[in-house]
Amino acid sequence: MWLKPEEVLLKNALKLWVTQKSSCYFILQRRRGHGEGGGRLTGRLVGALDAVLDSNARVAPFRILLQVPGSQVYSPIACGELLSGSDVYWAVATGATLEEINQHWDWLEQNLLRTLSVFDSKDDIASFVKGKVKALIAEETSSRLAEQEEEPEKFREALVKFEARFNFPEAEKLVTYYSCCCWKGRVPRQGWLYLSINHLCFYSFFLGKELKLVVPWVDIQKLERTSNVFLTDTIRITTQNKERDFSMFLNLDEVFKIMEQLADVTLRRLLDNEGFDLDPGLQEPSQITKRDLEARAQNEFFRALFRLPRREKLHAVLDCSLWTPFSRCHTAGRMFASDSYICFASKEAGCCKVILPFREVVSIEKMEDTSLLPNPIIVSVRSKMAFQFIEITDRDSLVESLLARLKQVHADHPVHYDTTQDEDLASSVSHSTSVCGDHRFGRIEMVSSQNSEEREKEMSPQLHPKALVAGFRRSGSQSPDLRLPREQIKMRLWNDHFVEYGSTVCMFRTEKIRKLVAMGIPESLRGKLWLLFSGAVTDLASHPGYYGNLVEESMGKCCLVTEEIERDLHRSLPEHPAFQNETGIAALRRVLTAYAHRNPRIGYCQSMNILTSLLLLYAEEEEAFWLLVAVCERMLPDYFNHRVIGAQVDQSVFEELIKEQLPELAEHMHDLSALASVSLSWFLTLFLSIMPLESAVNVVDCFFYDGIKAIFQLGLAVLEANAEDLCSSKDDSQALMVLSRFLDHIKNEDSPGPPLGSHHAFFSDDQEPCPMTDIADLIRDSYEKFGDQSVAQIEHMRCKHRIRVLQGHEDTTKQNVLRVVIPEVSVLPEDLEELYDLFKREHMMSCYWEQPRPVALRHDPSRPYAEQYRIDARQFARLFQLVSPWTCGAHTEILAERNFRLLDENMDHLIEFKAFVSCLDIMYNGEMNEKIKLLYRLHIPPALTENDRDSQSPLKNPLLSTSRPLVFGKSNGDTVDYQKQLKQMIKDLVKEKDKTEKELPKMSQREFIQFCKTLYSMFHEDPEENDLYQAIATVTTLLLQIGEVGQRGSSSGSCSQEAGEEPQAPVPSPEQDSVFADTHNGKSPRESQAFPEEAQGDWTVSLEHILASLLTEQSLVNFFEKPLDIKSKLENAKINQYSLKTCEMSRQSQPELKLSSP
C-alpha cells in the first residue's frame, strides 16, 4: 500500500527493522519479530509488542523507504524513521506480506530508478517521489471507488466528466450519478445529476447552452418529494432563496434515499458535531460510497427497529421463516444478524419480533434439509428455548459467520449457566417479592475474579438494594378491595403470557404483549420488563461491577454538573414519599452523578432527574442506571445535550403528524409552534411532569415497549380529545389552559395505591371541575386511532425534519450575529447578510477539503453566537482578496496577513465574523483619517513583524530621495511651497494631540518603507494613477525629511545630556517650527552634522505627521474619500469563491518539481 506523505521526526529510534533489499535510492525492510524462526530477544520483544497492540496501532511488517544520502534535513513523509547518519528516509510503501511489498519494489525499480538518476539536487529527488506517490494514491482511490460500484467502467467515465465539469479539488469524491431533468420554471433541462460527498451538482448542455448548478448539502433547508403541474413525482431541493425540482429518474426512490442520507450525514457532521458520532465506515468522508450510505440507512433502521446500541453493526439481512409455537406455524419475515444479536421481524407488522443476544445463545446448528423444512437451522438459548429458522439461502456461510461471532462474544464476555437455579420471570410471578431483587434473566452470570467479587461486595452496601417503591408501599385508602384484585388479574394474564411466549429477553414479542402493556404493567414486574423491552438487561449482565466503580470514582467530586444535580434533587417527584427522605435522594444523586461521569458530553440535563426518579421507584439502583443509559443513548438520541436537537426534531415530526392526522385542528391553529412549545415537556419527561404520576407511569410502560411512537400517538390522542375546545380557544394561553387541565385530570383506576397530589395544574379553584379521563382508555384510543405509524416512517420523518431543525439553528445563529453586528457598522443589513454567508462558506470549504479538518476548534454550538464560526489566516486571506477594496496585486496577500495579525487580538490564530466585518467597514465606509489609521496600524507591530516576508526588502526608489526640495513645480508653471502648509498642520496636530484616546507608537523607517510600498501598490491601475504617484512622491519626501530632522533633534538632545552641557540651540518659538529650524538658521550641510552618525537617534514618524502630509494632496484625499461599492464585490465573490479555493488547492497539490520529458 502506498503511503500518503507525512512528516515524522524520530531520533534515536530502537533498531526495530531489518534491511532485506537496498538500491541507490530505496530500502526494503522487515520488522523484527516477523518471519523469524527462533529469533533473538529484540525480535521477540518487538513481535510481542505488535501482537498485543490494537489492530489500528499495529505496524505493517514490511516497508519501503526512499533514502536521500547527504541531506541535513530529517523529515520522513509517513512512518519512516531516522536510522543513522544525516540521511533522510521517506516511507513510501508498506505491505502486510512479502509478496505485496515485492510488487511495489518491482514497480519502483522499473519506473523510477532510472528517472531519479537525472536529478542533481537531493531535494528535487524527494519532491519528485512525493508527487509521484500522491498521484499513485489518488489513482488507487479512484479505482477503488469505481470497483465498488455496479458498473465500474461507467462510473469511472462519469468521475472523469464530473472532475472536468466542476473542477473541484481532488478531495471532493463523487458518490453516484443519475440522468434526470432539472426544471427551470416550466422548462425542463435534461442533464446529469452528480451527488458528491459535499455537493449536489447538475450539468446540462442543450442547444448550445451550458447549465451548471452546484448546491452544497449544508445549504439545503428542505428535501422532499412533491409534484408539479406536469409531473406527479419530483424531488424538490429548497435552499435559502430558491427551489429546484428534479424529475424523470429511472428509480426515484433510490435517488431520494441517497440524497437524504448524504444531506443528513453532511449536515450532522458539519453542523451538529456536538452530538453526532459517524459510523466507522463514514469516518473518512472522502471514502464514502453509495453502498456505504445504503448500509448506513439499513443499519439505522435495524437499530431503531430493535432499539439496539449504536455500536451494533449489521452484517446480514435475509428472508426466512420462524417457527412460532403460539400460532403453530412458520411465520415469514427477515433475519438480521449483527455483531452481538440475531433478530427476527415478521413481514406482517406487529405479528412477531424476536431479539436473541449472542450472550444468551448456547448453540447454532443445521438440521436435515427436507421438503417440509428447507434449509433449517436451530438456535438454542439459555432459557431452554429453541428457535427454528427455515428457507434460508446460503445457509452454510450464514451458520459459519454466526458461529464465529458467537465464539467471539463468549470469548470477550465469558458466561456460565447456573443450572441449580432454574427460576425465571414466569415462575417468580407467583412470589413477586423475589422479582424486585433478582436481575438475572435466564440465570446469566459473569465469570469474574475473586477480587472483583469482593470489590462488589464491599461497594454493595452503599447502593440501594431494591426498588424504592418496595420500601414505600402506600396504604390504599380508596377501594383497596377493588384495586388489588385488578393487579392480581394482570399478574395472572402476564403469567399465562410468559408460559406461552417466553419470559426472558428472547421472548416472542407480539400484538398480544402490546395489549398487555397498554393495560398497564403490574408494579412487581414493571422494572424487570422495562429492562427487557429496552435491552438494558443485556448491558447490565455484560458489565458487572461497572456501576459500582462509577459511583466510587464520581462521588465526592465537585464541578458545575454536580452543582446542577444538587439543585434539582429535591425537585424530582417531590410529592412521592420515596423522595422526601435521604434514602431516595442519595440513590438519585448516585445514579445521576455516575451517568454524568460515564458520558461527560451529555453530563446532566434538566428532566433527567424526573425520569431517573421514576426509574428508581420500580428498579434497583444499578438497573435504574442502565435504564437511564438506554433512554439517553438509544431510545431518545440527541435529547439530552446543549441544544436538545433530538427533542426539537421529534417536535417537528409531531407537527407534521398533527397536519396529517388532525387536519381540522391544524387548519384552525395556523401556527402550530404554540402546540410544539407545550409538547416539548411531553417528549423530554415522557408526560411525567404534566400528568399525575400513577397515570404517567403507564405511558412509560408503553414507551419502553414501543419507543417514541408511543409518545407521538398519545400526544395525538390528547389533542383529539380536546380538539373542540382547542378550536374554540381565543389565543395560545387559553389553549395551554385547556391542555393543562385535561392532562392534570387523567386518572389510573388500576393503580394499587391512592392518587398522589398533583402540582401541574394551571387553573384556579373557582373554575368548573374538569371531567376525569382514565389513562387506560386514552392509551387504547391512541393505539386504535394513531398506532399505524411504522418505525421506518418515523425514522424517515426524523431524517427529513432534522435537516430543518439544524438549518433553523443556523438561521438563529445568523440572525443573532447580525443583530449584534448591525448597530456597530455602516454596512447595509442585506450586504452584511451576504458577507456572513461568504464567511461561513469559507469555513465550510476548509471543512470539506482540508486535512485535517479542525472543526471542533472552529464550530462549537455551545459558544456564543458570534464565536461559533471562525476562520484562520489562510481563509481570511482568500476572503480579503475577494471582498476587500484595498487590492494591491501581488502585495494583497501580504496586506491580508498583516490584517489578520491585527485582528487576532487573543493570538489564537482564529478570528470571528464581527472582527472581519469591522475591518471591512473601515475600508468601505470609514472617514479618511480612520482609513489612514488602519493602514498605519497595519505597518507597525503586531501587524508587521520582524519575520514579515516583505519587510526585509527595503524599497529603493528615486521618488523617495530626501534631497528633493520642498518646492514642486506644477504643470501650469506655478509652484507650491509645502513648508507653510505643513507648519500649520503640525500646529493643529499639537493642539489635537491631547484629545487622542490612545497614542499609537511611532513608525520606524523600515515600517515607513513598507507603508509607502502598500500605498504604491494600492494606486496601481487606478484611473488617476499618475497624479496619485506624483502626490505620494511629494508626501513621502516630506515625511522622510520630517523623520530625519526628528532624528537629528533626538540625537542632539541625547549627546548634550551625555556631555553634561546645556543645549546650545535656541528653543524654537511657536511661530518657528523645529522641523525647519536648520533651514531657517541657514546652516551649511557641514554645520548641520554637528554630531557623528553613530550618535544619531532613531528615525521615526507619527500618525499625525502622515495624516497631515496626506491631507496636503487633493488627489490623495479624493482617493481615500471616494465612495466604494461593496455590492459588486459581493456578487463577484459569490461567483469566484469556489474557483479561488480550488486554484489554491491545485497549486498545493502539484509536485514541487516537474520533470520535462526528453
Side-chain angles (χ1 to χ4, degrees):
M1 180 180 70
W2 299 108
L3 296 181
K4 187 175 181 180
E6 178 184 356
E7 290 190 1
V8 175
L9 183 62
L10 184 62
K11 292 186 178 181
N12 302 321
L14 294 173
K15 301 291 185 178
L16 302 179
W17 299 87
V18 179
T19 300
Q20 300 280 93
K21 296 180 184 180
S22 64
S23 65
C24 298
Y25 297 100
F26 296 99
I27 300 175
L28 190 153
Q29 294 183 328
R30 171 181 54 81
R31 190 166 175 85
R32 292 187 185 274
H34 293 272
E36 297 177 350
R40 299 180 181 178
L41 178 61
T42 304
R44 292 181 178 181
L45 288 174
V46 176
L49 176 66
D50 290 348
V52 301
L53 282 176
D54 180 74
S55 60
N56 295 326
R58 290 178 186 168
V59 179
F62 300 94
R63 69 178 183 182
I64 297 176
L65 304 180
L66 165 69
Q67 61 175 348
V68 184
S71 176
Q72 299 299 317
V73 181
Y74 300 98
S75 52
I77 62 172
C79 64
E81 301 162 4
L82 180 64
L83 299 182
S84 63
S86 60
D87 295 346
V88 178
Y89 289 82
W90 306 80
V92 295
T94 60
T97 63
L98 185 61
E99 180 182 0
E100 179 186 0
I101 205 70
N102 278 333
Q103 291 178 354
H104 288 79
W105 180 268
D106 294 339
W107 189 93
L108 291 171
E109 283 190 330
Q110 296 170 10
N111 296 277
L112 285 188
L113 277 183
R114 296 181 181 177
T115 305
L116 295 180
S117 61
V118 304
F119 292 100
D120 296 325
S121 169
K122 309 301 181 184
D123 293 334
D124 291 347
I125 294 175
S127 299
F128 178 79
V129 175
K130 284 168 58 180
K132 195 64 181 176
V133 169
K134 287 180 182 179
L136 290 172
I137 293 174
E139 183 177 347
E140 277 187 350
T141 302
S142 299
S143 300
R144 186 165 59 253
L145 290 173
E147 290 170 0
Q148 291 175 341
E149 302 302 321
E150 297 176 357
E151 299 178 280
E153 292 301 325
K154 289 186 177 180
F155 184 83
R156 190 176 287 110
E157 181 182 347
L159 183 62
V160 172
K161 291 181 179 179
F162 169 74
E163 292 173 347
R165 288 168 176 172
F166 297 99
N167 195 31
F168 282 125
E170 182 184 339
E172 185 68 19
K173 298 300 181 184
L174 178 65
V175 175
T176 188
Y177 65 100
Y178 300 96
S179 173
C180 69
C181 280
C182 176
W183 290 79
K184 191 173 182 180
R186 297 185 176 184
V187 180
R189 294 291 298 267
Q190 179 63 36
W192 291 92
L193 181 69
Y194 298 92
L195 305 181
S196 65
I197 57 175
N198 297 303
H199 298 86
L200 177 150
C201 305
F202 179 80
Y203 179 86
S204 174
F205 188 83
F206 185 68
L207 297 177
K209 292 184 178 180
E210 186 179 54
L211 173 64
K212 289 184 182 180
L213 180 65
V214 177
V215 181
W217 293 114
V218 292
D219 287 354
I220 292 177
Q221 297 183 340
K222 189 186 297 185
L223 179 64
E224 58 187 345
R225 294 177 64 168
T226 183
S227 59
N228 60 22
V229 179
F230 305 98
L231 294 172
T232 57
D233 208 359
T234 63
I235 297 177
R236 175 167 294 172
I237 306 294
T238 304
T239 57
Q240 184 176 2
N241 301 316
K242 293 183 180 179
E243 289 184 349
R244 297 176 177 88
D245 291 339
F246 298 90
S247 63
M248 298 186 185
F249 294 96
L250 292 177
N251 189 342
L252 190 135
D253 291 335
E254 175 192 309
V255 178
F256 186 73
K257 288 179 181 178
I258 294 295
M259 292 171 70
E260 202 171 46
Q261 284 288 311
L262 274 171
D264 185 57
V265 168
T266 307
L267 263 71
R268 297 178 73 181
R269 172 168 55 88
L270 297 176
L271 303 183
D272 191 29
N273 57 325
E274 177 192 16
F276 177 53
D277 291 326
L278 279 170
D279 295 338
L282 304 177
Q283 290 288 355
E284 179 50 56
S286 62
Q287 302 301 319
I288 293 177
T289 65
K290 178 181 173 183
R291 291 183 181 179
D292 291 332
L293 294 170
E294 292 171 343
R296 176 182 182 266
Q298 200 169 41
N299 262 301
E300 291 199 332
F301 169 75
F302 162 69
R303 291 192 291 255
L305 180 63
F306 299 102
R307 290 193 292 282
L308 300 180
R310 275 198 59 85
R311 66 178 180 272
E312 279 303 307
K313 181 181 178 181
L314 186 62
H315 293 286
V317 180
L318 57 152
D319 293 331
C320 66
S321 295
L322 171 67
W323 173 256
T324 49
F326 53 87
S327 61
R328 298 186 179 277
C329 67
H330 283 91
T331 300
R334 288 192 299 173
M335 176 191 287
F336 301 81
S338 67
D339 293 331
S340 306
Y341 294 86
I342 300 173
C343 302
F344 175 85
S346 60
K347 292 183 178 180
E348 183 182 349
C351 177
C352 178
K353 191 163 65 174
V354 174
I355 301 174
L356 307 176
F358 273 122
R359 60 171 293 104
E360 291 278 344
V361 175
V362 176
S363 64
I364 302 174
E365 301 173 310
K366 293 184 288 186
M367 292 179 59
E368 183 181 355
D369 186 8
T370 66
S371 58
L372 295 178
L373 300 175
N375 297 327
I377 66 171
I378 295 289
V379 179
S380 302
V381 297
R382 298 183 184 277
S383 57
K384 299 180 180 179
M385 294 178 66
F387 297 85
Q388 182 190 77
F389 298 90
I390 64 172
E391 299 175 345
I392 298 175
T393 57
D394 200 7
R395 180 181 63 166
D396 294 341
S397 62
L398 174 66
V399 171
E400 183 180 351
S401 63
L402 292 178
L403 288 173
R405 285 197 291 278
L406 176 65
K407 182 179 179 181
Q408 183 64 45
V409 169
H410 284 191
D412 294 340
H413 301 285
V415 297
H416 72 270
Y417 183 65
D418 188 359
T419 56
T420 62
Q421 299 182 12
D422 195 28
E423 179 183 57
D424 63 6
L425 189 58
S427 60
S428 65
V429 170
S430 58
H431 47 282
S432 60
T433 54
S434 66
V435 176
C436 296
D438 184 10
H439 69 268
R440 296 169 298 176
F441 291 88
R443 307 279 65 78
I444 300 179
E445 296 179 359
M446 295 296 299
V447 177
S448 57
S449 65
Q450 184 177 358
N451 292 335
S452 65
E453 291 175 358
E454 293 176 357
R455 185 169 61 252
E456 289 178 34
K457 290 179 181 179
E458 291 175 2
M459 291 188 296
S460 59
Q462 67 178 333
L463 307 181
H464 200 266
K466 57 184 177 180
L468 292 178
V469 74
F472 295 92
R473 293 288 181 185
R474 295 166 289 171
S475 57
S477 58
Q478 295 181 350
S479 307
D481 53 332
L482 294 178
R483 297 191 178 198
L484 290 179
R486 291 177 184 173
E487 191 80 356
Q488 293 171 0
I489 292 173
K490 288 183 183 180
M491 294 285 287
R492 283 198 296 270
L493 290 174
W494 278 98
N495 189 30
D496 294 342
H497 185 275
F498 290 146
V499 171
E500 188 173 4
Y501 293 88
S503 59
T504 70
V505 69
C506 303
M507 68 170 65
F508 289 96
R509 308 179 191 215
T510 65
E511 191 64 31
K512 183 177 179 180
I513 198 171
R514 177 179 280 114
K515 293 179 180 179
L516 289 175
V517 171
M519 292 169 57
I521 299 175
E523 280 198 355
S524 57
L525 296 178
R526 182 163 276 140
K528 300 304 174 183
L529 287 174
W530 285 356
L531 285 168
L532 287 180
F533 296 153
S534 66
V537 63
T538 305
D539 294 333
L540 174 65
S542 302
H543 299 83
Y546 176 83
Y547 173 67
N549 292 334
L550 276 182
V551 171
E552 192 176 54
E553 294 171 6
S554 60
M555 294 306 292
K557 294 183 178 179
C558 185
C559 60
L560 182 61
V561 171
T562 57
E563 291 176 3
E564 293 177 354
I565 291 173
E566 288 297 327
R567 282 198 301 267
D568 288 345
L569 286 178
H570 294 279
R571 306 173 188 170
S572 309
L573 302 185
E575 67 273 13
H576 198 286
F579 298 99
Q580 295 170 359
N581 62 75
E582 186 56 30
T583 302
I585 295 297
L588 180 60
R589 178 187 294 112
R590 287 192 294 269
V591 173
L592 291 175
T593 307
Y595 185 78
H597 190 72
R598 163 190 166 87
N599 193 342
R601 188 171 61 186
I602 291 179
Y604 169 76
C605 295
Q606 287 189 348
S607 77
M608 286 174 65
N609 60 318
I610 299 175
L611 177 61
T612 308
S613 300
L614 181 73
L615 299 178
L616 283 168
L617 287 179
Y618 297 100
E620 297 176 14
E621 186 175 324
E622 186 175 8
E623 295 171 346
F625 169 79
W626 287 110
L627 283 170
L628 182 64
V629 170
V631 171
C632 294
E633 299 176 12
R634 294 204 294 270
M635 302 185 73
L636 296 178
D638 298 334
Y639 263 58
F640 303 99
N641 56 30
H642 175 69
R643 300 189 294 176
V644 291
I645 294 292
Q648 293 185 52
V649 169
D650 284 345
Q651 275 186 288
S652 188
V653 172
F654 187 55
E655 286 185 35
E656 181 177 344
L657 291 174
I658 293 173
K659 294 175 183 177
E660 291 180 359
Q661 305 287 345
L662 303 171
E664 294 182 1
L665 178 62
E667 184 178 354
H668 174 78
M669 303 189 70
H670 301 290
D671 185 9
L672 294 176
S673 59
L675 289 180
S677 62
V678 173
S679 65
L680 180 61
S681 61
W682 302 0
F683 293 99
L684 285 174
T685 66
L686 307 179
F687 286 91
L688 289 170
S689 64
I690 42 83
M691 190 183 289
L693 179 62
E694 60 271 11
S695 302
V697 72
N698 284 27
V699 178
V700 179
D701 292 342
C702 298
F703 168 74
F704 275 114
Y705 185 78
D706 269 323
I708 196 63
K709 170 187 173 181
I711 307 301
F712 284 135
Q713 63 192 31
L714 187 67
L716 292 171
V718 169
L719 293 180
E720 189 211 30
N722 294 274
E724 184 177 347
D725 292 337
L726 290 173
C727 289
S728 61
S729 60
K730 299 178 181 179
D731 51 32
D732 294 342
S733 61
Q734 188 174 353
L736 172 62
M737 191 77 69
V738 169
L739 292 174
S740 299
R741 293 185 66 212
F742 175 83
L743 291 168
D744 197 67
H745 286 78
I746 294 178
K747 62 181 180 179
N748 186 355
E749 293 287 354
D750 297 337
S751 178
L756 295 172
S758 176
H759 303 282
H760 311 304
F762 291 90
F763 57 92
S764 57
D765 295 335
D766 58 352
Q767 289 180 306
E768 61 182 38
C770 180
M772 302 296 290
T773 303
D774 188 64
I775 184 63
D777 296 336
L778 189 63
I779 290 177
R780 184 179 62 253
D781 288 345
S782 73
Y783 274 103
E784 291 177 355
K785 297 178 180 178
F786 308 107
D788 55 349
Q789 297 294 328
S790 67
V791 172
Q793 290 171 321
I794 291 176
E795 289 303 306
H796 166 69
M797 287 191 289
R798 275 179 161 180
C799 185
K800 178 174 68 174
H801 288 281
R802 188 180 296 112
I803 295 174
R804 299 182 185 180
V805 169
L806 288 175
Q807 292 292 12
H809 276 274
E810 290 300 299
D811 289 341
T812 301
T813 299
K814 177 179 179 178
Q815 296 306 319
N816 279 278
V817 171
L818 296 180
R819 179 175 52 82
V820 172
V821 174
I822 284 175
E824 301 187 13
V825 298
S826 301
V827 181
L828 295 175
E830 56 269 22
D831 295 335
L832 205 58
E833 191 172 347
E834 296 277 0
L835 280 171
Y836 181 89
D837 293 338
L838 289 171
F839 187 90
K840 178 182 173 181
R841 190 175 299 121
E842 190 64 42
H843 160 81
M844 287 298 175
M845 286 193 298
S846 295
C847 297
Y848 296 158
W849 303 316
E850 291 185 4
Q851 297 284 347
R853 295 176 297 278
V855 179
L857 295 177
R858 302 182 187 172
H859 181 222
D860 183 359
S862 65
R863 295 178 66 90
Y865 288 115
E867 300 176 13
Q868 288 190 16
Y869 286 107
R870 296 179 289 171
I871 58 175
D872 59 22
R874 289 174 57 193
Q875 295 166 323
F876 177 83
R878 287 192 293 269
L879 279 179
F880 188 89
Q881 183 176 347
L882 287 169
V883 299
S884 171
W886 292 355
T887 50
C888 312
H891 196 67
T892 303
E893 188 173 349
I894 297 169
L895 191 62
E897 292 176 3
R898 295 172 186 167
N899 254 291
F900 184 85
R901 286 194 290 266
L902 180 65
L903 298 174
D904 184 22
E905 296 179 353
N906 59 358
M907 305 293 290
D908 65 349
H909 308 293
L910 295 170
I911 65 168
E912 62 220 29
F913 178 69
K914 183 178 179 181
F916 170 70
V917 172
S918 63
C919 173
L920 283 181
D921 186 50
I922 295 175
M923 297 179 186
Y924 278 99
N925 304 309
E927 299 291 339
M928 178 178 176
N929 60 332
E930 294 175 326
K931 295 179 180 179
I932 299 303
K933 183 178 180 180
L934 176 59
L935 277 171
Y936 185 90
R937 294 181 66 195
L938 292 177
H939 294 85
I940 59 174
L944 185 70
T945 64
E946 290 292 334
N947 297 324
D948 194 292
R949 52 175 163 163
D950 196 49
S951 65
Q952 303 300 325
S953 56
L955 184 62
K956 297 179 180 179
N957 194 304
L959 291 174
L960 295 180
S961 171
T962 61
S963 61
R964 285 180 170 268
L966 291 177
V967 179
F968 291 87
K970 288 198 170 182
S971 57
N972 58 5
D974 297 333
T975 60
V976 178
D977 186 355
Y978 287 93
Q979 294 180 3
K980 294 180 180 180
Q981 293 185 26
L982 195 55
K983 280 187 198 178
Q984 183 60 42
M985 289 183 179
I986 291 176
K987 288 179 186 178
D988 295 338
L989 290 171
V990 170
K991 294 178 182 178
E992 295 291 331
K993 187 173 182 181
D994 295 335
K995 300 180 182 179
T996 307
E997 294 181 2
K998 183 179 180 181
E999 186 176 358
L1000 293 173
K1002 292 186 176 182
M1003 184 180 283
S1004 68
Q1005 190 174 39
R1006 180 181 71 89
E1007 296 163 352
F1008 176 69
I1009 291 173
Q1010 294 304 312
F1011 179 83
C1012 295
K1013 187 170 184 179
T1014 298
L1015 289 178
Y1016 272 89
S1017 302
M1018 289 172 63
F1019 300 152
H1020 184 59
E1021 295 185 357
D1022 189 273
E1024 306 295 331
E1025 183 177 359
N1026 292 332
D1027 291 342
L1028 290 170
Y1029 281 155
Q1030 180 65 25
I1032 196 59
T1034 304
V1035 171
T1036 303
T1037 303
L1038 293 176
L1039 291 170
L1040 285 171
Q1041 290 198 0
I1042 290 172
E1044 288 179 356
V1045 173
Q1047 181 182 27
R1048 289 198 294 272
S1050 173
S1051 64
S1052 174
S1054 174
C1055 292
S1056 298
Q1057 291 174 5
E1058 290 175 3
E1061 301 174 357
E1062 294 295 328
Q1064 301 298 320
V1067 179
S1069 64
E1071 300 297 326
Q1072 181 183 4
D1073 197 286
S1074 60
V1075 174
F1076 304 103
D1078 59 340
T1079 306
H1080 290 305
N1081 291 338
K1083 292 183 181 179
S1084 65
R1086 186 181 299 276
E1087 291 173 336
S1088 65
Q1089 295 181 354
F1091 301 96
E1093 184 176 347
E1094 53 272 6
Q1096 292 184 0
D1098 293 332
W1099 187 102
T1100 59
V1101 67
S1102 68
L1103 171 63
E1104 290 78 10
H1105 287 140
I1106 291 178
L1107 183 57
S1109 302
L1110 290 172
L1111 288 172
T1112 62
E1113 289 294 332
Q1114 189 61 42
S1115 58
L1116 295 176
V1117 174
N1118 294 339
F1119 176 82
F1120 284 106
E1121 290 190 347
K1122 66 182 178 182
L1124 299 172
D1125 180 25
I1126 194 174
K1127 294 185 182 296
S1128 59
K1129 279 280 188 179
L1130 293 175
E1131 289 299 323
N1132 183 66
K1134 286 192 291 186
I1135 297 172
N1136 296 321
Q1137 189 173 19
Y1138 266 76
S1139 59
L1140 184 64
K1141 173 72 174 178
T1142 303
C1143 291
E1144 179 184 309
M1145 293 196 68
S1146 62
R1147 288 196 303 268
Q1148 294 174 356
S1149 63
Q1150 287 176 353
E1152 298 177 12
L1153 178 67
K1154 293 184 178 179
L1155 181 66
S1156 58
S1157 57

